[in-house]
Amino acid sequence: MFEKGGGDDIITDFQDGIDKILLKGDLTFDDLTFTVNEFGAVKGSYEGGSILFKNITDKSKITADDFISNRVANIADVAQDGSDIAITSSDWDIFG
């Protein structure tokens, strides 16, 4: 989960079309600004933090479909393969 002021994070094995990133609080996809850093990796910056996608080099591969936001998570969207998932935060309403 990522939220405004959450600091800088690195994702090393993001799978486009499979993985979903949870945005917490009032952070939305529209708050993210994507660039490619000097090492060729995509970086999404937001107020008080960033997400470095170490294995993604084409920023067009990261879209709103890769994120879940607005404090509502559909477990079917997060764990499509039937794997177990636990979200433990009073900030989230969980359906699924």
Side-chain angles (χ1 to χ4, degrees):
M1 283 187 255
F2 299 93
E3 65 183 317
K4 289 182 180 177
D8 300 318
D9 294 287
I10 298 173
I11 298 175
T12 59
D13 60 351
F14 183 78
Q15 295 180 20
D16 185 38
I18 296 172
D19 294 331
K20 299 284 185 181
I21 298 170
L22 300 175
L23 301 176
K24 187 176 176 184
D26 62 351
L27 182 62
T28 68
F29 178 77
D30 291 334
D31 295 323
L32 300 170
T33 301
F34 294 97
T35 57
V36 176
N37 72 10
E38 66 271 18
F39 302 107
V42 173
K43 182 177 183 178
S45 300
Y46 56 92
E47 181 184 320
S50 66
I51 306 166
L52 179 66
F53 297 88
K54 194 170 184 178
N55 66 319
I56 304 292
T57 58
D58 181 355
K59 65 182 180 179
S60 70
K61 296 286 185 186
I62 306 296
T63 67
D65 291 338
D66 297 316
F67 295 83
I68 299 171
S69 62
N70 296 328
R71 300 178 60 186
V72 177
N74 183 333
I75 291 176
D77 288 339
V78 177
Q80 295 176 4
D81 64 357
S83 60
D84 293 333
I85 184 168
I87 299 175
T88 56
S89 173
S90 60
D91 290 339
W92 287 88
D93 297 319
I94 302 173
F95 303 95

